Amino acid sequence: MFIDTHAHLTDNAFKDDKNEVVKKSFDCGVEFVITSGFNLKSSKEALKFAQEKENVFCSIGVYPENILELDDDTLAELEKMASDKKVIAIGEIGLQYTDNMPPREKQKEGFVRQLKLAHKLGLPVVIHCRDAYGDLLELLNENKEYLKFGGTMHCYCGSKEIAQSLIKLGLHISVGGVSTFKNASKLREALKEIPLSSMLLETDCPYLAPHPYRGERNAPFYIPTTAENLAKLKEVEVEEVAKTTTKNARELFKI
Ligand code: NI
């Protein structure tokens, strides 16, 4: 059995058939799905859907693109929402240094405020990072006291060395569809060196469907495809990937 540790089931792409998608995913060996918010609105939607569905949990938070909305009221609201037992992590939160993003200082400040919130609530964090691993590692090291409840680097695309630094901080490395892409040989080389005992599986659906479904709408039922690819890389049976990543996710998110 598998756990999809990062999905966006409340995305518009699933508006007509999310119940069917979830059912098909459970039929395909997915045991739990964690659906993720990225701002206050999507976090509320994620929680609502998780409340309605057995075996769907959620993470709530404000990610870089929306960080300017993170004020005291938003933080207080996230904290209130987190009292629901279906909220099992704070995220996705992080840094993104691509064009047209809010100022880096604002991103850093909002990220750290949410690290502190997660720590206060006793929850792990789900981290998003694009083109910002250097600053991210620096910030995480400065604030490692707030990482006591662990976390995951979602959609990991970095090097072996960065992964080792993240693991040293007690974080997990989450493997998604990108690891199956034809042009991702560098990432695959890194994944070979990262221990399975620190890995999780995810889709980040509706984005980033694994090969050979690349370009299609992604969904949790494609998790076994990513797992098979990872099993080949690690030269183990897919059952071992399933067993270990599921155990890791259950321990981290206390499911
Ligand atoms: Ni995401």
Side-chain angles (χ1 to χ4, degrees), residues 6-8 36-38 63 92 126 128 154-155 202-205 207:
H6 189 92
H8 297 282
S36 180
F38 49 87
Y63 87 151
E92 54 188 291
V126 176
H128 165 105
H154 120 75
C155 193
E202 69 165 73
T203 56
D204 203 18
C205 65
Y207 314 105

Side-chain angles (χ1 to χ4, degrees), residues 30-95:
V30 176
E31 198 177 356
F32 299 109
V33 180
I34 301 172
T35 192
S36 180
F38 49 87
N39 56 22
L40 188 60
K41 181 172 174 276
S42 61
S43 293
K44 282 182 181 168
E45 289 164 357
L47 175 56
K48 185 170 177 282
F49 188 58
Q51 284 168 334
E52 286 165 12
K53 279 272 165 211
E54 212 179 324
N55 298 340
V56 174
F57 296 84
C58 69
S59 63
I60 59 171
V62 179
Y63 87 151
E65 196 175 334
N66 300 113
I67 205 66
L68 297 179
E69 76 172 44
L70 190 82
D71 54 16
D72 292 348
D73 291 346
T74 306
L75 268 176
E77 199 149 355
L78 288 172
E79 182 171 349
K80 213 169 90 194
M81 287 161 71
S83 64
D84 192 296
K85 66 181 189 327
K86 282 293 185 113
V87 176
I88 57 170
I90 295 298
E92 54 188 291
I93 58 175
L95 300 178

Side-chain angles (χ1 to χ4, degrees), residues 9-178:
L9 293 174
T10 57
D11 189 277
N12 244 345
F14 297 116
K15 80 174 179 337
D16 296 326
D17 63 347
K18 57 175 165 304
N19 290 325
E20 289 84 348
V21 166
V22 169
K23 187 181 178 304
K24 183 175 169 187
S25 300
F26 292 152
D27 291 345
C28 291
V30 176
E31 198 177 356
F32 299 109
V33 180
I34 301 172
T35 192
S36 180
F38 49 87
N39 56 22
L40 188 60
K41 181 172 174 276
S42 61
S43 293
K44 282 182 181 168
E45 289 164 357
L47 175 56
K48 185 170 177 282
F49 188 58
Q51 284 168 334
E52 286 165 12
K53 279 272 165 211
E54 212 179 324
N55 298 340
V56 174
F57 296 84
C58 69
S59 63
I60 59 171
V62 179
Y63 87 151
E65 196 175 334
N66 300 113
I67 205 66
L68 297 179
E69 76 172 44
L70 190 82
D71 54 16
D72 292 348
D73 291 346
T74 306
L75 268 176
E77 199 149 355
L78 288 172
E79 182 171 349
K80 213 169 90 194
M81 287 161 71
S83 64
D84 192 296
K85 66 181 189 327
K86 282 293 185 113
V87 176
I88 57 170
I90 295 298
E92 54 188 291
I93 58 175
L95 300 178
Q96 179 164 342
Y97 289 175
T98 54
D99 291 341
N100 303 316
M101 285 287 141
R104 294 179 179 189
E105 287 312 311
K106 286 278 174 203
Q107 292 191 36
K108 289 183 187 176
E109 184 195 318
F111 178 51
V112 172
R113 288 189 88 183
Q114 293 178 96
L115 289 180
K116 289 178 180 170
L117 175 67
H119 180 258
K120 181 179 172 191
L121 297 168
L123 291 174
V125 287
V126 176
I127 304 172
H128 165 105
C129 181
R130 258 179 80 189
D131 297 347
Y133 281 118
D135 274 10
L136 184 85
L137 278 176
E138 203 182 297
L139 219 48
L140 289 173
N141 272 299
E142 280 168 21
N143 293 281
K144 58 179 171 223
E145 60 189 292
Y146 303 115
L147 296 174
K148 212 171 99 193
F149 302 99
T152 163
M153 192 63 230
H154 120 75
C155 193
Y156 188 67
C157 294
S159 66
K160 174 185 88 176
E161 289 76 17
I162 294 169
Q164 283 164 343
S165 304
L166 292 165
I167 292 168
K168 234 170 113 183
L169 285 161
L171 300 172
H172 284 73
I173 301 298
S174 185
V175 180
V178 174

